[in-house]
Amino acid sequence: MEYSIRNCEIGDLPKLVILCQKHAEFEKADFSPEGKQEKLKEAIFSKKPKLFCLVVAVKETIVGYVSYTFDYSTWDAATFMYMDCLFLEEEARSFGIGEVLIEKLKEIGTKNNCLNIQWQTPEFNTRAIKFYNRIGAKGKDKVRFTLSL
């Protein structure tokens, strides 16, 4: 499969919202697309971005994305990259694209003096867990909580 990986562009936002919805459905999570395009535009394209995003394109069609932020660890007293989402359409899986995306994140993290990359995935996502183990990532048993405001 021929594809390219590039920074998300404003014109990609409608498709990015669709991919976010598909990702949420896969993870059995609630998702409403209402207002997401404008909020993502503000988060990704402001002068001080809160979120960074790479997209995977096959010709002109976006088939996947990875989004990330930078955060600071009290325990490590260092900056780390947090991979918020990595999602590929079904037809784009099993071509090594996920590994290429992780390599791109490693390059970006290194350039930004990050100690590591952290992320999470649901326990039922065994395919992703096998992939993450294969590339050398180490899992930690934790329970993630969400407190609505």
Side-chain angles (χ1 to χ4, degrees), residues 101-112:
L101 287 170
I102 296 289
E103 286 300 317
K104 295 245 183 229
L105 292 186
K106 287 167 65 176
E107 291 172 17
I108 294 165
T110 299
K111 285 181 188 173
N112 285 277

Side-chain angles (χ1 to χ4, degrees), residues 26-45:
F26 176 80
E27 291 202 2
K28 302 172 185 153
D30 293 333
F31 183 87
S32 169
E34 192 171 322
K36 294 292 192 307
Q37 190 171 322
E38 281 306 311
K39 289 178 180 179
L40 286 170
K41 180 179 177 183
E42 183 179 318
I44 297 170
F45 299 103

Side-chain angles (χ1 to χ4, degrees), residues 113-127:
N113 298 312
C114 293
L115 180 66
N116 56 37
I117 304 171
Q118 299 179 23
W119 66 91
Q120 62 191 9
T121 196
E123 288 180 0
F124 64 79
N125 193 356
T126 56
R127 185 174 180 183

Side-chain angles (χ1 to χ4, degrees), residues 50-131:
K50 294 179 182 177
L51 181 70
F52 301 88
C53 184
L54 301 174
V55 296
V56 179
V58 174
K59 296 182 182 176
E60 300 300 315
T61 304
I62 305 303
V63 297
Y65 72 103
V66 64
S67 58
Y68 60 96
T69 59
F70 296 99
D71 208 334
Y72 195 84
S73 168
T74 305
W75 287 0
D76 294 319
T79 300
F80 67 93
M81 176 186 282
Y82 180 75
M83 180 173 67
D84 185 51
C85 294
L86 190 161
F87 182 77
L88 295 168
E89 295 266 26
E90 186 66 40
E91 66 270 12
R93 296 178 191 160
S94 300
F95 291 98
I97 300 171
E99 196 161 349
V100 173
L101 287 170
I102 296 289
E103 286 300 317
K104 295 245 183 229
L105 292 186
K106 287 167 65 176
E107 291 172 17
I108 294 165
T110 299
K111 285 181 188 173
N112 285 277
N113 298 312
C114 293
L115 180 66
N116 56 37
I117 304 171
Q118 299 179 23
W119 66 91
Q120 62 191 9
T121 196
E123 288 180 0
F124 64 79
N125 193 356
T126 56
R127 185 174 180 183
I129 291 168
K130 286 178 186 175
F131 165 63

